[in-house]
Amino acid sequence: MSKEVLLIEDDKQMQNLIVDYLKDYNFVCTAFDNPKEAITSFENKNYSIVILDLMLPHMDGLDVLKKIKSIKDIPVIISSARGDIGNKIAGFELGADDYLAKPYEPRELVLRIEHILKRFHSNEIHVANFIIDCDNKSVMLDDYPIEFTKIEFEIFLFLIQNLNKVSSREQILHATSLDENTKNRTIDMHISNIRYKIGDDSKEPKYIKSVWGIGYKFIG
């Protein structure tokens, strides 16, 4: 797991404290006090997480967050003296993964970084009440295991990976290990079995919606 950290912080004392502390935990931390320079670096280097102050020169921290998220989906922890609920809500709405109000213990920052990176790089998908473990090919619904067959898991995973997008029966077929000569009604049968196992109703679907004449989509 990559441990490259981008720190955007204009308080030099705070900046040096974080850089030195993260180094003790084997993180490589590159720090900037100028957000525009930080964004340029972000565009050209493969960071694994961003620590972002909100009170910055030249550019507001929330605008920096918006710009970062438009470039790449990467975990961002806001580290700011702006501890009011309005800034927290704005940060989370723009895609922040965590919010640490200053002052805080550097050890807490390390723990949050480690937790977020572990979650971000885990080969698990969390959608609605489901946890899909892609490595072990298992599905949990509200902490209960769903016993899918191999084909059912492949279909379910494909629909999850194409969340809120309509997938044709042909696309579903090619995403599985089914024979290419498989008929559409076989796909429909597998979808019916999946619905039964997750307690979904085809007439009033909570998860898998039929799109007439095309195929199916998972509603997230």
Side-chain angles (χ1 to χ4, degrees):
M1 180 174 64
S2 174
K3 302 187 83 171
E4 294 279 345
V5 179
L6 172 60
L7 172 64
I8 310 175
E9 168 66 66
D10 68 326
D11 182 328
K12 286 292 187 180
Q13 185 176 358
M14 184 72 170
Q15 188 185 104
N16 292 333
L17 174 65
I18 292 174
V19 170
D20 290 341
Y21 202 87
L22 291 182
K23 189 183 297 182
D24 290 339
Y25 288 86
N26 300 315
F27 287 97
V28 179
C29 184
T30 305
F32 292 89
D33 52 19
N34 185 318
K36 294 182 179 179
E37 292 177 359
I39 290 170
T40 300
S41 178
F42 179 74
E43 291 174 321
N44 295 291
K45 189 172 179 180
N46 190 28
Y47 292 104
S48 52
I49 193 167
V50 177
I51 312 301
L52 173 66
D53 185 18
L54 293 185
M55 299 173 67
L56 296 166
H58 313 300
M59 193 173 180
D60 185 77
L62 292 175
D63 291 330
V64 176
L65 173 59
K66 191 184 302 183
K67 180 65 176 177
I68 285 172
K69 286 292 186 176
S70 72
I71 297 169
K72 181 183 177 182
D73 183 18
I74 185 172
V76 176
I77 297 177
I78 292 176
S79 160
S80 178
R82 291 189 201 168
D84 61 281
I85 190 66
N87 278 290
K88 287 185 178 181
I89 291 171
F92 285 122
E93 285 179 342
L94 290 173
D97 295 83
D98 207 341
Y99 197 113
L100 268 172
K102 296 176 182 176
Y104 55 81
E105 289 294 327
R107 179 60 179 144
E108 183 178 1
L109 175 62
V110 171
L111 290 172
R112 296 202 187 197
I113 291 172
E114 290 174 340
H115 174 74
I116 289 171
L117 288 179
K118 183 177 179 181
R119 186 185 69 209
F120 196 81
H121 292 286
S122 168
N123 204 12
E124 284 187 351
I125 301 172
H126 295 244
V127 173
N129 299 325
F130 295 94
I131 300 175
I132 302 94
D133 185 330
C134 300
D135 291 331
N136 295 313
K137 295 181 171 54
S138 65
V139 176
M140 301 286 287
L141 172 58
D142 291 328
D143 296 325
Y144 290 95
I146 305 297
E147 299 297 331
F148 282 144
T149 65
K150 179 176 182 291
I151 298 300
E152 289 166 1
F153 178 81
E154 290 173 351
I155 293 173
F156 186 77
L157 179 61
F158 180 75
L159 293 175
I160 289 285
Q161 289 173 332
N162 291 274
L163 191 67
N164 295 317
K165 296 179 183 177
V166 180
S167 298
S168 70
R169 291 175 176 83
E170 290 72 23
Q171 288 174 315
I172 294 171
L173 172 61
H174 292 307
T176 70
S177 53
L178 284 166
D179 185 273
E180 289 190 2
N181 296 317
T182 300
K183 303 296 183 183
N184 283 346
R185 62 176 176 270
T186 304
I187 298 292
D188 295 339
M189 178 193 71
H190 286 300
I191 293 288
S192 178
N193 290 339
I194 292 169
R195 279 176 166 156
Y196 175 76
K197 291 180 179 181
I198 64 175
D200 206 15
D201 185 348
S202 60
K203 294 180 181 178
E204 296 183 9
K206 182 180 178 182
Y207 302 116
I208 301 175
K209 181 179 180 180
S210 300
V211 181
W212 190 84
I214 303 177
Y216 300 93
K217 73 173 177 177
F218 195 98
I219 309 164

